[in-house]
Amino acid sequence: MDSGEFFGPTAIAGLKGLACPILLYNVDDPTGHRDGRRFDSLLKALPLYDLVVVVRKETEAECLSLGAKQVMRVIRSYDEVAHQPFLNPTHIPTEFRSEVIFIGTWMRYEKRDEFLLHLLEQGLPLSIWGSRWKKSPHWAKLQIAYRGGSLSGRDYVAAIQGSKICLGLLSKGNRDLHTQRSLEVPFAAGLLCAERTTEHLEMYQEGKEAVFWADAKECASICHRLLLNDSLRENIRVAGQKRVLALQVGNENICRKILTHLRIG
């Protein structure tokens, strides 16, 4: 079951009649507070799953306290097919080429708009792709950087690979220490520039496989420096792609680990 938000105890009990293991895979924060009552049905059904798979330590502990039989924590993943980079970068359409890019949704209370506005005020050549940005109270100043709505498929890969630097912003409401972008960006041949967290530092060697920052001021400074140094930027990008492959966190890898864990358990 992917996410599981629409399935309560009755539905999962019915699935148990299939006489096969019932697994839950959830990369959100179902035991957190950002999404209100979105995961109420899932939480009630937790004890019925044979294995619950989550992506953060807090969720792992909280699912166990709510009666989950067995909980496994994994890193998020990229998709080996959907996020495959262009073999020939010259085939990336012009409209998806940029200097510094952020791909993501405007979210109330996350202050992503304030962060990106600070980058613009620091003179960073920023491009923004994603939905709901017109709802931002800072839209009048941000719209100069806005390139279009949410991206998917080859357009998503083109925007990552076609940028010189790709920003990875966390969801604080979701207690994130890494996101899907943390893996998708390096795999899709982009240079990851994200917040410095314990999990990011475990994944990548700072300054050699990815770059990290503590705030918007440091982020702007790092981006300006990288934009002036093509060879350094390319070295980090290539090293980051090699590292994410070595981590073995593609969807196939993660699914294999989950199934192996279940057989052992």
Side-chain angles (χ1 to χ4, degrees):
M1 189 71 68
D2 186 5
S3 180
E5 62 184 289
F6 300 119
F7 296 84
T10 302
I12 303 305
L15 291 175
K16 299 285 278 188
L18 297 174
C20 66
I22 307 298
L23 283 64
L24 171 67
Y25 174 78
N26 188 295
V27 298
D28 285 301
D29 190 0
T31 56
H33 303 292
R34 190 194 72 175
D35 295 323
R37 304 191 64 180
R38 174 185 171 188
F39 293 107
D40 279 7
S41 294
L42 177 152
L43 297 180
K44 294 175 183 177
L46 280 178
L48 296 174
Y49 285 100
D50 295 291
L51 176 65
V52 174
V53 183
V54 296
V55 297
R56 59 179 57 77
K57 293 178 181 178
E58 298 93 336
T59 316
E60 180 181 20
E62 289 159 3
C63 284
L64 286 170
S65 70
L66 289 169
K69 297 174 185 175
Q70 188 178 183
V71 183
M72 176 184 183
R73 184 167 65 92
V74 299
I75 296 176
R76 288 178 172 88
S77 54
Y78 58 81
D79 188 89
E80 295 89 343
V81 176
H83 302 132
Q84 184 69 35
F86 288 79
L87 292 177
N88 188 343
T90 62
H91 292 166
I92 297 173
T94 304
E95 62 263 34
F96 295 116
R97 296 186 178 277
S98 61
E99 300 292 295
V100 181
I101 193 171
F102 174 67
I103 305 171
T105 304
W106 174 82
M107 303 177 73
R108 192 182 302 276
Y109 308 123
E110 291 288 350
K111 298 186 178 181
R112 291 176 171 181
D113 47 3
E114 294 180 17
F115 182 91
L116 297 178
L117 179 58
H118 182 84
L119 298 185
L120 282 174
E121 291 172 345
Q122 294 297 309
L124 211 61
L126 179 66
S127 296
I128 301 171
W129 290 88
S131 58
R132 299 174 60 193
W133 283 95
K134 292 181 180 180
K135 294 179 177 291
S136 167
H138 301 291
W139 170 247
K141 294 180 179 179
L142 289 173
Q143 62 180 323
I144 190 174
Y146 189 67
R147 298 281 290 274
S150 59
L151 296 171
S152 61
R154 299 310 291 164
D155 289 350
Y156 174 69
V157 174
I160 291 174
Q161 193 175 0
S163 68
K164 294 180 179 178
I165 301 170
C166 192
L167 300 176
L169 303 186
L170 305 176
S171 170
K172 299 301 172 57
N174 253 8
R175 301 185 289 183
D176 286 341
L177 292 177
H178 79 281
T179 70
Q180 298 292 129
R181 299 281 193 276
S182 305
L183 297 314
E184 293 169 357
V185 168
F187 180 76
L191 192 162
L192 177 65
C193 177
E195 184 172 345
R196 187 181 294 107
T197 68
T198 54
E199 291 182 5
H200 277 151
L201 291 172
E202 289 171 358
M203 293 176 187
Y204 304 107
Q205 189 172 356
E206 182 171 4
K208 293 187 177 181
E209 297 169 338
V211 292
F212 303 127
W213 38 264
D215 53 32
K217 182 178 179 181
E218 185 181 10
C219 178
S221 176
I222 289 171
C223 288
H224 279 304
R225 176 169 57 87
L226 287 174
L227 290 174
L228 293 173
N229 194 328
D230 293 346
S231 61
L232 175 61
R233 204 172 59 243
E234 181 64 5
N235 288 340
I236 295 172
R237 184 194 69 78
V238 171
Q241 189 177 42
K242 289 181 179 177
R243 173 59 177 166
V244 80
L245 291 171
L247 286 173
Q248 296 187 324
V249 288
N251 283 340
E252 293 289 339
N253 298 120
I254 296 300
C255 286
R256 194 173 297 113
K257 290 177 183 177
I258 292 170
L259 294 175
T260 299
H261 179 94
L262 186 66
R263 285 198 296 271
I264 293 173

